[in-house]
């Protein structure tokens, strides 16, 4: 694990983002470190971002900014859908997204399909700021590859949230067209899906391909953004696909208990900067 190094008596995590970009965090303590059949799972206690979940040396979520991402990937689709009852989360092992979905009383079932059980265990035990040690009875944990799980389901879900890690390792398949096609088929006729679609600054190729794939399947596709400090470049994108036209005015009445999201944030998050509009339209 060459991403944890001791320098002058100090411990540092260095995320090897790109050839010419390394992101380093000073670490107080390695709280948890285990290799699963899928990846190296760590919980670190850092000086500036509190506790953080790190998979194969890449920061996934932290106790300082995890809520920004988890609130944006959940409250947008859950607020836009007319009556979300059955929700599927693919990935999301830190349980932060499921915790936000559980704030909707009308939701009857939350299926959390995570390939790596060790991530859920580690986050429940060592990252309660994000996982909330979630024990809501509506949440069913399924430890399986999301691609296999969704293949067997048709016309089942109101909302599908793809809370995946980067398109490398076990998550690579979650960015492929065939997977989005299975997601489309697993949704009910008024269903909608959302996925994290990487950095518009550093991964525009991934965002663009994700947008093209989803637009090929869904009649209504909308990209929105948020700023997540521990994600490379800060600016992060989400892509939403809906089988029926989306009524954005539903966002004006948003009133859930949150730390980042509110009605204004939800309304402006679809306002994209010029470079993104041009890339997505070209
Ligand atoms: N928000 C984070 C990000 O954007 O980087 C991701 C959070 S969540 C921890 C990502 C989860 O997706 C991980 O726990 C990982 O194990 C899981 N995952 C990766 N590939 C998967 C697959 N094919 N099926 C189900 N879960 C998968």
């Amino acid at each position: 694990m060459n991403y944890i190094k001791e320098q002058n008596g100090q411990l540092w995590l260095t995320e090897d983002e790109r050839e010419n970009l390394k992101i380093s965090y000073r670490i107080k303590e390695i709280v948890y470190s285990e290799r699963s059949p899928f990846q190296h799972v760590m919980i670190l206690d850092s000086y500036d971002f509190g506790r953080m979940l790190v998979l194969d040396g890449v920061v996934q979520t932290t106790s300082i900014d995890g809520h920004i991402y988890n609130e944006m990937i959940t409250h947008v689709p859950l607020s836009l859908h007319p009556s979300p009852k059955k929700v599927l989360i693919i990935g999301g092992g830190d349980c932060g997204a499921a915790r936000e979905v559980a704030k909707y009383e009308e939701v009857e079932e939350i299926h959390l399909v995570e390939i790596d059980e060790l991530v859920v265990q580690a986050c429940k035990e060592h990252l309660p700021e994000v996982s909330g040690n979630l024990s809501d009875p509506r949440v069913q944990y399924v430890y399986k590859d999301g691609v296999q799980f969704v293949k067997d389901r048709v016309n089942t879900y109101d909302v599908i949230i793809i809370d995946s890690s980067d398109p490398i390792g076990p998550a690579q398949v979650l960015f492929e067209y065939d997977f989005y096609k299975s997601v489309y088929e697993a949704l009910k006729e008024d269903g909608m899906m959302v996925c994290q679609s990487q950095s518009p600054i550093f991964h525009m190729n991934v965002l663009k391909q994700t947008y093209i794939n989803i637009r090929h399947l869904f009649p209504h596709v909308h990209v929105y953004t948020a700023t997540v400090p521990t994600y490379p470049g800060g600016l992060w994108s989400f892509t939403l696909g809906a089988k029926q036209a989306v009524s954005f005015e539903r966002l004006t009445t948003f009133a859930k208990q949150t730390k980042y999201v509110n009605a204004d944030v939800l309304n402006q998050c679809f306002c994209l900067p010029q470079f993104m509009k041009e890339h997505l339209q070209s």
Side-chain angles (χ1 to χ4, degrees):
M1 63 178 194
N2 58 0
Y3 32 80
I4 293 274
K5 285 204 176 72
E6 177 138 358
Q7 282 152 352
N8 312 326
Q10 299 179 338
L11 206 53
W12 290 86
L13 165 75
T14 297
E15 207 176 284
D16 198 351
E17 182 49 37
R18 301 159 64 85
E19 196 186 341
N20 305 312
L21 175 66
K22 317 289 177 211
I23 305 171
S24 292
Y25 304 87
R26 188 172 170 205
I27 303 299
K28 286 180 191 165
E29 183 195 353
I30 299 177
V31 176
Y32 175 92
S33 173
E34 282 294 326
R35 271 193 192 285
S36 79
F38 308 99
Q39 55 209 342
H40 180 214
V41 181
M42 285 197 297
I43 303 282
L44 302 176
D45 194 7
S46 72
Y47 279 85
D48 288 339
F49 284 97
R51 291 239 168 146
M52 39 172 63
L53 168 66
V54 177
L55 298 179
D56 286 343
V58 178
V59 176
Q60 302 292 310
T61 190
T62 80
S63 55
I64 296 296
D65 65 355
H67 62 280
I68 301 173
Y69 171 94
N70 286 318
E71 290 181 10
M72 290 301 286
I73 201 167
T74 53
H75 293 293
V76 171
L78 271 286
S79 301
L80 287 174
H81 193 283
S83 63
K85 290 192 172 39
K86 212 165 174 178
V87 177
L88 168 62
I89 299 171
I90 294 179
D94 56 75
C95 301
R99 199 178 169 190
E100 296 304 317
V101 174
K103 292 179 179 175
Y104 292 77
E105 297 84 30
E106 65 266 42
V107 170
E108 296 165 356
E109 291 181 55
I110 305 169
H111 295 172
L112 195 158
V113 177
E114 162 60 56
I115 199 168
D116 194 340
E117 183 168 1
L118 223 55
V119 173
V120 174
Q121 288 171 1
C123 291
K124 282 194 165 189
E125 193 174 343
H126 303 292
L127 194 53
E129 303 89 340
V130 174
S131 72
N133 195 7
L134 190 65
S135 58
D136 187 302
R138 292 171 295 171
V139 180
Q140 286 176 33
Y141 296 89
V142 181
Y143 299 113
K144 196 174 180 178
D145 180 346
V147 171
Q148 298 315 317
F149 178 87
V150 85
K151 255 197 200 126
D152 311 335
R153 274 142 190 93
V154 175
N155 193 28
T156 305
Y157 294 101
D158 299 298
V159 173
I160 297 180
I161 296 168
I162 304 159
D163 177 11
S164 76
S165 22
D166 297 339
I168 49 174
Q172 196 164 353
V173 286
L174 301 180
F175 289 79
E176 291 170 4
Y177 178 81
D178 290 348
F179 169 65
Y180 294 125
K181 190 163 181 304
S182 302
V183 166
Y184 180 90
E185 283 149 11
L187 285 165
K188 293 177 186 166
E189 61 187 35
D190 64 345
M192 60 180 69
M193 54 84 52
V194 67
C195 62
Q196 70 91 357
S197 42
Q198 301 287 114
S199 160
I201 307 284
F202 294 127
H203 315 127
M204 179 53 85
N205 56 332
V206 176
L207 167 55
K208 180 78 190 262
Q209 192 54 52
T210 300
Y211 181 73
I212 291 169
N213 286 340
I214 294 173
R215 205 180 49 190
H216 198 265
L217 294 158
F218 290 82
H220 307 279
V221 182
H222 304 280
V223 173
Y224 61 98
T225 64
T227 303
V228 184
T230 49
Y231 289 174
L235 183 64
W236 211 248
S237 74
F238 304 85
T239 301
L240 182 139
K243 289 189 171 185
Q244 294 186 10
V246 169
S247 45
F248 288 101
E249 50 286 347
R250 296 179 62 81
L251 300 175
T252 54
T253 55
F254 179 81
K256 294 286 177 195
Q257 189 63 37
T258 52
K259 290 200 293 187
Y260 181 83
V261 161
N262 56 38
D264 298 335
V265 167
L266 291 180
N267 277 296
Q268 65 78 30
C269 68
F270 290 94
C271 304
L272 299 181
Q274 196 53 27
F275 81 96
M276 285 181 71
K277 285 186 176 179
E278 287 169 8
H279 263 96
L280 294 173
Q281 281 153 9
S282 66

